[in-house]
Amino acid sequence: MAKGKIKKRSWAEPFKIKVVEPIKMLNKQQREKAAKDAGYNTFLLKSEHVYIDLLTDSGTNAMSDNQWAGMMLGDEAYAGSKNFYNLEKNVKKYYSMPYFVPTHQGRAAEHMISKILIKPGDYIPGNMYFTTTRLHQELAGATFVDVIVDEAHIPSSKAPFKGNIDLQKLDKLVNEVGAKKIPYVSMAGPVNMAGGQPFSMQNLRDVRDYCQKQKIKLWFDATRATENAYFIKERENGYENKTIAQILKEMCSHFEGIWVSAKKDLMVNIGGFLATRNKKVFEEARNMVVVYEGLHTYGGLAGRDMEAMARGIEEMVQYDNIRARIGQIEYFGNRLEKFNIPFVKPIGGHAIFLDAKKFLPHIPQSEFPAQTLAAEIYIDSGVRGMERGVVSAGRDPETGDHRYPKLELVRLTFPRRVYTQAHIDVTVESIVEVFEQRKKIKGLKMVYEPKYLRFFQGRFERL
Ligand SMILES: *Cc1c(COP(=O)(O)O)cnc(C)c1O
């Protein structure tokens, strides 16, 4: 090829920037102090002390001009807001579920479905746990059992569908406790705790067939369903020419119902919902939502929030949008790869997960390597990520000991449509700098531990 000739065209974001929010970086001394004041927990940092915020993509997305315009059309009636009907129409159309109840965010829907379907003593198999999902299942009296494929626990495995359910593990559980003790299988994709790894449509069909045979329901945490649909399109035979909307619809057709945190795929700042094809479950949820959230036509949301969600659904299924979203993560991962930084492969859908066990091999898991690494990256550059390891895993409800997960990760998550490639470049430089200094880094001890979801409010000191 001639010198200077372009080999392959790049993609670029399918939008331009209309409004900006200034950000600034504190100096090193101020960052040291901010980290100490926050108990070395990135959840306890003040947002204004953060330069590039990769804590989460939950509710931190940039809405489009079309979504903002919709906010002005909020119908704030107590009952029967027209925005509710707009949202209901799009939930039916894109997720193909006939019944729908809005909630103020995803965990409110998790709370309701766990209470409706679970009896104390039940078991809930799932493709790895998600923090709030598992907690609501446990609070309803169930024991969560991880039935994800083994590769999901191996950061270096490049299997394309590490979010798949292992049918043998599922069958083993059914044989041990009996299908009657399993009200539903809880499936999510891409699986956050496994590094944003998708399940395949083939695996979903197999799980559905198995569940039908055993008379076990199948429910879907569809919070990141469009990201999963994108990976199916990219990686699974027979889907390359299908649209994201077609794949999403096919995925949803295999479930009895779904719960969704709209703060992710739908690119809004707040919102969630429950949707199902089971009328009885719907009626119970509609009764319950009045107690916990608000009337069934607003579920804890303002009319304007529901309008932004309705419009977000139409945008999330656009191919260019989801390709740019996942393309950013790929760019980030490919840059880190050049410097041999250890992270979970293949590159996931919403975040890069640094492998803290490999990054800081001299720090034992009891001294919280991922918590330590997240704090060190913040101190280096003001970039905020979060721990996904022993702190997030919490304690075993029976023994009271720490749960020591195989994966000890720092998650760096990109909000949708918020940061540019230059933000990614300075983040990479910071991680490389910390990697070069890694031998000098010491672990942490926990000095305050809340009872539930301790990663949010736990405090630490340097050893
Ligand atoms: C964010 C999230 C939830 C919880 O939703 P909230 O809106 O934060 O309450 C549940 N499941 C998955 C997969 C999520 O990403």
Side-chain angles (χ1 to χ4, degrees), residues 57-58 104-108 110 130 132-133 188 190 192 221 223-224 259-264 271-272:
D57 60 349
S58 181
H104 82 282
Q105 58 183 89
R107 70 196 68 186
E110 290 174 339
F130 184 75
T132 57
T133 315
N192 195 340
D221 182 338
T223 297
R224 300 177 183 281
W259 65 87
V260 170
S261 167
K263 301 169 72 175
K264 323 285 168 60

